Amino acid sequence: MPRPTKCRKVCHFPRVLEFFPSQGKEPNVPVILTVDEYETIRLIDKEGLSQEQCCEFMQIARTTVQRIYENARKKLAVVLVDGLPLRIEGGDFWLCDGQTTHCGHDKCFKHQYHQKYKKPKGEFIMRVAVTYENGQIFQHFGHTEQFKVYDITDGVITASEIVDTNGSGHGALAGVLHALQVDALICGGIGGGAQMALAAAGIQLYGGVSGEADKAVKALVSGHLEFNPNIQCNHHHGQEQACGEHGCGDKNHCHELPPNQG
């Protein structure tokens, strides 16, 4: 019987998910680079880590890192030489939440958010975030400068706080919400890539909502929130796939929670 695949730790969901050759004349089937393959490229080729350091960060064996890295480099070579499009999706991974002792980065923005806005999260607390501007729901997720975060206990809002995003965008914003232990997000427009990042972090999305933030959260608590389950943002060209098309919302996959934390 084969051994089960061990999930690989990934710092954050990729900010850009698709790349296309500018001179492509005919649509070609894209090369698929998994998120864990992407992470080995980021750590080794961009950040300059050794394979040994990479395996420590991703919390997997060095032989596994070598295999993933070799597969990733081969795929990138095919993309460059044959002029094919590239898409990043799938893989066996879990997202770092910035709260573990094995984060590996002293300046991890997730860790900084967790320390600054650390709140006790009890068993019966639901944490909801809203894209926020002057009391209203900000309508473009990728450009929101603030979230208003609410704690809900037994159907009652017990606390709320405004959190600055410090210019984070798209995939990084999903990382901020993950670090804040947010369970659900209420927003206006949001692109397919950001939806996948939220799904990978286990955050329920309520998109296509407008109006006052406080009223929206109260409507969610009462079960009367009107939202668009098929919301898409036209600003995200080339990323209009709904996250369900990629299986990233499957609760049985390991890019939901890190080992021993679920």
Side-chain angles (χ1 to χ4, degrees):
M1 184 176 180
R3 296 175 60 185
T5 300
K6 182 177 181 180
C7 293
R8 298 87 192 235
K9 187 180 78 169
V10 171
C11 183
H12 57 76
F13 204 75
R15 292 171 172 80
V16 180
L17 299 177
E18 291 184 306
F19 301 85
F20 298 92
S22 62
Q23 298 178 356
K25 297 181 180 180
E26 297 180 1
N28 291 307
V29 176
V31 173
I32 303 299
L33 187 73
T34 64
V35 175
D36 45 333
E37 289 173 340
Y38 156 88
E39 185 71 345
T40 62
I41 294 294
R42 186 185 73 82
L43 291 173
I44 296 174
D45 290 339
K46 183 178 185 296
E47 301 297 336
L49 272 61
S50 67
Q51 290 190 9
E52 183 176 358
Q53 291 172 319
C54 181
C55 75
E56 291 177 357
F57 180 88
M58 298 182 71
Q59 299 183 18
I60 51 178
R62 184 171 181 175
T63 54
T64 303
V65 164
Q66 290 175 336
R67 176 173 54 81
I68 297 172
Y69 180 62
E70 289 173 0
N71 289 341
R73 292 290 295 268
K74 179 64 179 293
K75 290 179 180 180
L76 292 181
V78 170
V79 167
L80 292 175
V81 174
D82 296 339
L84 297 177
L86 175 72
R87 179 185 298 161
I88 304 173
E89 65 179 40
D92 298 302
F93 67 96
W94 59 272
L95 295 176
C96 175
D97 57 11
Q99 301 172 39
T100 67
T101 57
H102 304 290
C103 181
H105 288 289
D106 294 334
K107 297 181 180 180
C108 171
F109 74 88
K110 294 183 183 180
H111 184 70
Q112 293 173 345
Y113 271 102
H114 175 62
Q115 293 300 314
K116 185 176 181 180
Y117 298 99
K118 187 175 182 179
K119 299 178 182 178
K121 185 177 182 184
E123 182 179 356
F124 301 107
I125 292 179
M126 179 183 183
R127 186 159 291 171
V128 178
V130 181
T131 51
Y132 189 77
E133 185 179 52
N134 297 325
Q136 302 293 308
I137 300 171
F138 187 68
Q139 289 301 298
H140 184 36
F141 174 80
H143 293 289
T144 188
E145 296 181 358
Q146 292 181 325
F147 290 113
K148 190 169 183 179
V149 181
Y150 303 77
D151 280 356
I152 301 166
T153 306
D154 296 329
V156 177
I157 298 174
T158 56
S160 64
E161 183 172 0
I162 297 174
V163 179
D164 292 330
T165 66
N166 295 327
S168 301
H170 301 93
L173 286 175
V176 169
L177 296 175
H178 192 206
L180 293 171
Q181 301 181 67
V182 166
D183 300 298
L185 169 71
I186 298 174
C187 68
I190 183 169
Q195 291 184 39
M196 284 189 279
L198 292 171
I203 298 172
Q204 180 68 43
L205 172 64
Y206 298 91
V209 185
S210 59
E212 296 181 23
D214 291 353
K215 287 185 178 180
V217 174
K218 291 177 181 178
L220 176 65
V221 172
S222 66
H224 296 98
L225 179 66
E226 296 183 1
F227 66 98
N228 181 0
N230 300 312
I231 186 67
Q232 294 292 343
C233 179
N234 293 330
H235 294 283
H236 294 251
H237 301 290
Q239 296 183 9
E240 296 305 319
Q241 299 89 349
C243 64
E245 296 175 3
H246 302 279
C248 60
D250 188 345
K251 298 294 183 182
N252 296 319
H253 281 70
C254 60
H255 40 114
E256 178 67 26
L257 288 174
N260 303 321
Q261 293 192 8

